[in-house]
Amino acid sequence: RSQLLEAALSLFAQRAPEDVSLDDVAEAAGVSRPLVYRYVPGGKQQLYEAALRSAAEELEQCFAEPAEGPLTERLSRALDRYLAFVDQHDAGFSALLQGGSVIETSRTTAIVDGVRRAAAEHILDHLVVKDPGPRLRMTVRMWITAVEAASLIWLDEDKEPPLDELRDWLVEQFVAALVASAGSDAQTAAAVRAALVMERPDGVTGVLVRRVLPVVGNAAHLL
């Protein structure tokens, strides 16, 4: 079954799902058509949804990280797993996130949205905020959307820059987004202050601060 799902994800990414037949999936998986029906009696729609769900379940676990150490280090480890999935399953990742198929349903849309919501809940848990308000939730979900977009662009750009650079840049974007929201949202500001206490001078946040300060050094007249 895993072999069928992997083959299906790859084919659905290369071509529109409606243009992929069960014969194509059987050939790609190296099995007979009757064997495909044995595992997916519901046909191509069931196979499409099962393939998406398989990828979604793995992606949802990427952001599950023990609540230990600086926030940016936890986020870096989560992104390492997420980006490793993107790298290893590039075609399947595209199939998961790029909709528009005529066989796309409310169920397939819910599968994709479930990944985003699960990732957001994991991150909010790491921020240790009870009952997060709309501003903080929106900031986190906007960043998750940015991670998805960056991952797709990275695949389109022949996987450049290197993964470690992409990971660090995405973590920096998260820090920047939080700080920007903190300026007008007390809840986010409290979460940022609590997170900064645990950050290390040689960590992502410390490096970011030292890099950014010279850039904004000429903005004293705005104070």
Side-chain angles (χ1 to χ4, degrees):
R1 189 173 184 274
S2 297
Q3 191 174 343
L4 288 174
L5 295 180
E6 190 73 23
L9 271 176
S10 179
L11 290 173
F12 289 147
Q14 297 166 21
R15 307 200 297 269
E18 58 268 22
D19 294 334
V20 176
S21 69
L22 290 181
D23 285 336
D24 294 331
V25 175
E27 182 180 356
V31 301
S32 65
R33 181 185 175 95
L35 190 61
V36 176
Y37 273 105
R38 175 184 171 185
Y39 284 97
V40 281
K44 187 167 65 176
Q45 181 64 42
Q46 181 186 357
L47 181 61
Y48 181 59
E49 292 179 10
L52 289 182
R53 191 171 292 108
S54 174
E57 288 171 356
E58 187 169 345
L59 278 173
E60 284 180 7
Q61 294 306 310
C62 288
F63 286 92
E65 178 71 24
E68 301 171 356
L71 174 64
T72 55
E73 292 182 12
R74 298 182 222 167
L75 202 57
S76 292
R77 290 192 293 269
L79 282 174
D80 278 338
R81 291 189 290 270
Y82 185 94
L83 295 173
F85 179 94
V86 175
D87 188 25
Q88 185 179 357
H89 303 85
D90 48 3
F93 181 80
S94 297
L96 176 66
L97 292 183
Q98 293 176 324
S101 167
V102 298
I103 66 173
E104 186 176 7
T105 67
S106 59
R107 290 191 300 274
T108 60
T109 301
I111 291 170
V112 176
D113 191 53
V115 175
R116 297 169 180 144
R117 291 183 180 277
E121 290 305 317
H122 281 304
I123 293 171
L124 288 168
D125 286 343
H126 286 300
L127 288 169
V128 197
V129 177
K130 294 182 179 180
D131 192 23
R135 184 68 64 90
L136 181 55
R137 280 191 172 278
M138 186 175 293
T139 300
V140 170
R141 295 186 68 179
M142 284 172 59
W143 178 76
I144 291 169
T145 301
V147 170
E148 291 179 359
S151 299
L152 291 171
I153 295 170
W154 181 75
L155 291 175
D156 193 49
E157 293 289 336
D158 298 322
K159 299 186 176 181
E160 289 291 338
L163 275 178
D164 58 341
E165 292 183 21
L166 177 61
R167 175 204 63 213
D168 288 348
W169 181 75
L170 288 171
V171 174
E172 291 174 354
Q173 293 294 313
F174 181 69
V175 173
L178 276 182
V179 170
S181 293
S184 56
D185 182 63
Q187 186 182 57
T188 304
V192 169
R193 291 191 190 98
L196 287 178
V197 170
M198 299 186 66
E199 291 296 319
R200 311 181 200 277
D202 59 345
V204 173
T205 303
V207 173
L208 176 63
V209 168
R210 290 192 296 275
R211 254 201 337 259
V212 170
L213 284 179
V215 177
V216 297
N218 293 330
H221 65 287
L222 298 176
L223 297 177

